[in-house]
Amino acid sequence: MRTYLLPASGQFYKANLHCHTVLSDGHKTPEEIKEIYKNAGYAVVAYTDHDILIPHPELCDDSFIALNAFEVEPTEPKTPGKELYALRKTCHICCIALEQDNITQPCWHRTKYLFGNAVEHRDKVRFDESQPDYERRYSGEGISEMMQIYRENGFFVTYNHPTWSSEQYTEYTNYHGMNAFEMYNGSCIVGGWDEYNSRVYDDILRGGERIFCIGADDNHNGRPLDSRRCDSFVAFTMIKAEHLTYRDVTRALEAGHFYASEGPQINALYYEDGKVTIECSPADRIFLTTDMRAARIAFDEGDAPLTGATFTVPENCRYFRLTVVDKSGKHANTNAYFTDTLH
């Protein structure tokens, strides 16, 4: 029996799931972001300004969805030798509302945590006034609590750019409750960080979490669009949904009907009789990763373009995922698929 890991029906929509505007520390308005991303072929942008959930329903139309979202950043407290922010570890989390009318921000504090232009928009945030101010704690327990609260309140939660954040295995393997994490972060990549995080994904998966991976820009747009340092259009998520509506897109996120990419395209992905097949744009190599010391790889041997591969999934592996690498070294990554859910 064939199981489609990416749905056979529907359409792919290009998405940026991490974005900043002039409402926090970005350099373009929400309207300008819509224009430049639509012109670049995107259909979905999550507006994740720092610490403030400000919806943009006026930007949604038949060809573009603005997802309601925000980003928070619990950070190590100042201690002797770590007075500078750049020396302290931090954990950045994006939260995307699954329902378009969900515009109430959980874990709100009435006076703390806002910076940049977000300070000027505090009065626009809707929160539960019956709740006490939420104090953030930089610890595995504290961050897991925040992730779980956001999940319980109807948000899709992503863990962002662990390399830029100076976080290590001992931190991120203690976070529980995320839906997904950033395999790549465009702003960090053009800024000089090695923010392709495939090993981090396997660390988290092998620790028992069942999460997805995304690609995102985290764009602030402080550079011209034609500059190599521009932090737009670097990494993205391709979401396969039945229709381009707010809820169809977020249902696809919940179900894992997407892949992360820096360029290569994945056209089809299915599992059948113990084998997984991927169809993609021309690649230099395609490989399969598991939780075991077992892997598979296909190379472009030069006789014909490599546009797909079929791999036997190793017996006894708990999960597998696939990676496509093109001739320029750019990656596309599938989500991890767990063998106990496949038939």
Side-chain angles (χ1 to χ4, degrees):
M1 177 180 175
R2 179 173 294 185
T3 300
Y4 283 93
L5 305 178
L6 289 172
S9 62
Q11 182 174 333
F12 281 112
Y13 298 103
K14 194 172 186 178
N16 176 19
L17 299 180
H18 189 172
C19 166
H20 298 286
T21 75
V22 294
L23 297 181
S24 61
D25 60 345
H27 293 264
K28 292 190 179 297
T29 67
E31 294 79 10
E32 288 171 328
I33 290 295
K34 174 181 177 176
E35 180 182 5
I36 67 171
Y37 273 87
K38 278 193 69 173
N39 288 342
Y42 288 70
V44 179
V45 171
Y47 286 82
T48 57
D49 276 307
H50 285 286
D51 303 299
I52 49 173
L53 172 56
I54 298 181
H56 301 284
E58 72 283 357
L59 300 182
C60 295
D61 57 37
D62 292 342
S63 59
F64 186 83
I65 298 297
L67 297 175
N68 303 337
F70 59 97
E71 183 178 25
V72 295
E73 52 288 318
T75 301
E76 276 189 306
K78 292 182 180 179
T79 56
K82 286 192 174 182
E83 290 84 3
L84 291 177
Y85 177 72
L87 293 173
R88 289 180 278 140
K89 295 179 181 181
T90 185
C91 176
H92 287 216
I93 306 165
C94 281
C95 304
I96 300 172
L98 297 173
E99 299 284 352
Q100 192 170 18
D101 62 356
N102 183 5
I103 57 173
T104 300
Q105 184 168 332
C107 301
W108 179 252
H109 197 290
R110 291 167 178 81
T111 60
K112 292 184 179 179
Y113 305 124
L114 301 191
F115 66 92
N117 294 335
V119 174
E120 301 174 9
H121 302 286
R122 185 188 301 273
D123 61 347
K124 296 185 178 70
V125 175
R126 174 175 165 178
F127 63 95
D128 185 346
E129 297 189 15
S130 70
Q131 294 296 311
D133 289 335
Y134 187 88
E135 298 284 349
R136 299 176 184 178
R137 293 172 293 141
Y138 183 81
S139 65
E141 182 182 63
I143 288 164
S144 297
E145 179 182 90
M146 291 183 74
M147 290 177 171
Q148 290 160 8
I149 291 172
Y150 293 134
R151 291 279 295 271
E152 290 166 2
N153 282 272
F155 291 85
F156 183 90
V157 178
T158 68
Y159 168 54
N160 306 332
H161 49 63
T163 300
W164 180 93
S165 300
S166 297
E167 294 201 299
Q168 299 169 293
Y169 178 93
T170 49
E171 282 83 40
Y172 57 70
T173 54
N174 286 309
Y175 300 156
H176 309 291
M178 68 185 83
N179 293 94
F181 103 110
E182 286 183 342
M183 181 67 82
Y184 358 75
N185 178 290
S187 179
C188 295
I189 289 170
V190 300
W193 283 269
D194 183 10
E195 205 70 67
Y196 173 55
N197 290 303
S198 62
R199 180 58 186 267
V200 174
Y201 194 26
D202 287 312
D203 285 343
I204 295 173
L205 293 169
R206 289 169 182 168
E209 299 296 302
R210 297 197 176 197
I211 65 169
F212 307 129
C213 67
I214 67 167
D217 277 337
D218 188 9
N219 54 295
H220 295 73
N221 299 109
R223 304 278 184 171
L225 293 178
D226 59 356
S227 166
R228 289 191 65 184
R229 296 177 181 271
C230 174
D231 57 7
S232 283
F233 325 129
V234 181
F236 54 91
T237 302
M238 292 298 288
I239 301 170
K240 198 163 194 187
E242 286 297 323
H243 306 285
L244 186 61
T245 69
Y246 192 106
R247 195 63 183 105
D248 279 328
V249 167
T250 59
R251 283 195 186 100
L253 288 177
E254 289 182 280
H257 294 164
F258 57 85
Y259 66 89
S261 184
E262 299 172 291
Q265 297 176 355
I266 298 175
N267 302 317
L269 183 67
Y270 56 87
Y271 176 85
E272 187 174 23
D273 298 330
K275 298 180 179 180
V276 60
T277 296
I278 188 170
E279 299 172 7
C280 60
S281 55
D284 178 70
R285 59 195 182 276
I286 303 168
F287 58 93
L288 177 142
T289 302
T290 74
D291 62 315
M292 301 169 60
R293 208 159 42 247
R296 306 282 188 266
I297 193 164
F299 289 105
D300 181 347
E301 303 288 358
D303 51 346
L306 180 64
T307 57
T310 297
F311 300 113
T312 298
V313 175
E315 291 186 14
N316 302 315
C317 77
R318 190 170 63 94
Y319 73 82
F320 62 87
R321 59 184 187 83
L322 293 96
T323 303
V324 178
V325 186
D326 67 15
K327 295 288 187 181
S328 65
K330 292 185 176 181
H331 304 77
N333 296 81
T334 74
N335 288 312
Y337 297 96
F338 288 81
T339 53
D340 62 5
T341 67
L342 303 173
H343 304 287

